[in-house]
Amino acid sequence: FCCCCCAAVGYICYLTFFPLCIPYPYPRVSRSGAGVYAGSFNPVHDGHIAILRAMRNRFETVYAVVGYNPGKKYPVSPKQRAKLLRKMLLKNGLPQVKVDIVPGYIWRFAKEKDAVMVRGYRTWKKDGPAETILNFLNILGPIVFGPLKSPMKTIFFQASPAYSKISSTKVRLLRSFDHEVKAFVQDKECAEDLARMYNSKNSSHSMTKEEMKTFLREVEVIRRQRAKENNKYK
């Protein structure tokens, strides 16, 4: 019994501290299994789509899950976010990706689909500590609340440099002042849909003029970096 417990603890530690991290550019492999990429997608942006494209090249089946808290009210509903996500996937040539809306624990959904979970990261030095904690919780979830199901495995994809500074928070911040989001969503029609959903009327962000100027300069740097990196890896 002691040996079994030690082996189980060792396996949990191994999954927690030595997860599979796939660097960019991603190596070519044969497609197999299923992967679940979950997030609030509040809103979805090109960085999310890039991860889902990488997953499509690795997994036979890919799920994009819009997670949400049933007890919380959102200015843009999970259903609206899922609709925009489906449209962006279609526009980016990824109609095979399945979009689901899931409340509560995402690992339950992944277990039902016999899939691994997928997370994106910029650099492990920057995102590693927070991702390790989340990974540990996802590993323990099935064991404690399953109950006694096998640990949830997570694979980490490093973001392309072209997308490493993109975030949903920055998109919402731009829209809170009714600025365009072409640096974050390059498809014109999807960007227009996003702009209709997210605007100054449903935002609580506030910035001084100087803070806004600094932020817009950062957005311009992101736009230029995206163009540079996209040309580099074409």
Side-chain angles (χ1 to χ4, degrees), residues 11-46:
Y11 183 57
I12 290 172
C13 289
Y14 174 76
L15 290 178
T16 302
F17 297 108
F18 300 97
L20 176 58
C21 295
I22 302 174
Y24 185 87
Y26 312 117
R28 296 194 176 204
V29 296
S30 299
R31 289 179 183 170
S32 63
V36 172
Y37 182 47
S40 64
F41 296 104
N42 188 30
V44 60
H45 53 69
D46 288 347

Side-chain angles (χ1 to χ4, degrees), residues 8-228:
V9 170
Y11 183 57
I12 290 172
C13 289
Y14 174 76
L15 290 178
T16 302
F17 297 108
F18 300 97
L20 176 58
C21 295
I22 302 174
Y24 185 87
Y26 312 117
R28 296 194 176 204
V29 296
S30 299
R31 289 179 183 170
S32 63
V36 172
Y37 182 47
S40 64
F41 296 104
N42 188 30
V44 60
H45 53 69
D46 288 347
H48 295 133
I49 300 301
I51 294 293
L52 287 163
R53 179 176 287 109
M55 289 176 64
R56 186 71 188 95
N57 291 330
R58 188 178 187 91
F59 299 104
E60 284 287 347
T61 307
V62 176
Y63 299 93
V65 173
V66 179
Y68 73 99
N69 181 347
K72 184 178 178 180
K73 289 186 178 181
Y74 299 90
V76 179
S77 71
K79 187 178 290 188
Q80 289 174 296
R81 284 178 260 152
K83 183 178 180 180
L84 180 59
L85 175 55
R86 289 189 182 97
K87 185 169 185 175
M88 282 190 66
L89 288 166
L90 187 62
K91 286 279 191 173
N92 283 274
L94 296 168
Q96 310 92 338
V97 175
K98 301 179 181 181
V99 178
D100 285 274
I101 303 172
V102 178
Y105 296 123
I106 305 300
W107 59 259
R108 291 189 188 277
F109 176 86
K111 282 290 183 184
E112 289 173 5
K113 302 300 182 182
D114 194 24
V116 299
M117 291 185 68
V118 169
R119 298 281 298 172
Y121 71 98
R122 290 163 291 184
T123 66
W124 199 249
K125 182 178 181 180
K126 188 170 188 176
D127 296 332
E131 291 295 342
T132 297
I133 293 171
L134 183 58
N135 186 28
F136 180 64
L137 294 175
N138 283 329
I139 289 168
L140 281 189
I143 299 172
V144 177
F145 300 109
L148 299 178
K149 290 185 178 179
S150 60
M152 188 74 248
K153 183 179 179 182
T154 301
I155 296 177
F156 294 87
F157 283 76
Q158 184 182 24
S160 159
Y163 304 104
S164 62
K165 292 183 179 179
I166 295 177
S167 72
S168 294
T169 300
K170 289 176 180 176
V171 177
R172 292 197 305 274
L173 188 54
L174 272 177
R175 290 304 304 146
S176 69
F177 294 92
D178 295 323
H179 282 278
E180 62 182 20
V181 293
K182 63 182 180 181
F184 302 89
V185 178
Q186 292 191 336
D187 181 86
K188 183 179 179 181
E189 190 175 331
C190 290
E192 290 172 351
D193 288 349
L194 188 154
R196 282 190 287 271
M197 292 181 188
Y198 295 84
N199 51 60
S200 57
K201 294 179 181 179
N202 60 14
S203 172
S204 59
H205 290 290
S206 62
M207 297 178 77
T208 65
K209 288 184 178 180
E210 285 304 313
E211 287 174 334
M212 192 62 195
K213 286 180 181 179
T214 300
F215 177 63
L216 290 177
R217 283 196 293 268
E218 182 184 353
V219 171
E220 179 59 20
V221 170
I222 292 171
R223 187 192 67 77
R224 291 178 180 178
Q225 184 182 26
R226 281 202 64 184
K228 179 180 178 181

